[in-house]
Amino acid sequence: RSVSAFLLNRSSDLETDIRFAQKRFFDLRSGYEYYGLTEKVLMRMAREAGALYKIYTTYRVRRDLFEAYLREQYRKENGL
């Protein structure tokens, strides 16, 4: 699935968006619930973005880097 399709089809309410935006890091479960991606795809994209951190046995994703990566991929796909 393309990043464009993902961004257009993601549905969430404003309160959820605000709470999620306040986090600097999110765990994989929160990420795949919020973004609607599988764990494997989320990890691959976070790794490509340089936003994946392993803390002991838990993976965390740095939200600002991950979302910058999503925006950049969207621009590339849409020729912006």
Side-chain angles (χ1 to χ4, degrees):
R1 182 163 88 158
S2 72
V3 173
S4 301
F6 154 72
L7 290 173
L8 293 174
N9 292 325
R10 188 177 69 80
S11 64
S12 64
D13 59 62
L14 183 60
E15 185 177 324
T16 302
D17 287 343
I18 291 170
R19 277 186 283 137
F20 196 79
Q22 291 173 338
K23 297 179 181 180
R24 182 171 175 153
F25 289 87
F26 61 86
D27 60 17
L28 293 177
R29 179 180 301 270
S30 298
Y32 56 74
E33 287 174 359
Y34 183 76
Y35 293 106
L37 301 169
T38 65
E39 182 177 354
K40 185 175 181 178
V41 171
L42 181 64
M43 284 187 72
R44 178 184 55 81
M45 293 174 79
R47 194 172 284 122
E48 289 173 3
L52 187 65
Y53 295 83
K54 185 174 182 181
I55 303 170
Y56 301 107
T57 59
T58 305
Y59 285 96
R60 298 281 183 183
V61 179
R62 191 167 146 192
R63 189 187 52 77
D64 61 335
L65 294 178
F66 184 71
E67 291 190 353
Y69 170 82
L70 289 177
R71 285 189 298 276
E72 183 61 32
Q73 294 303 311
Y74 178 82
R75 287 185 192 114
K76 286 180 183 178
E77 287 179 7
N78 294 292
L80 301 174

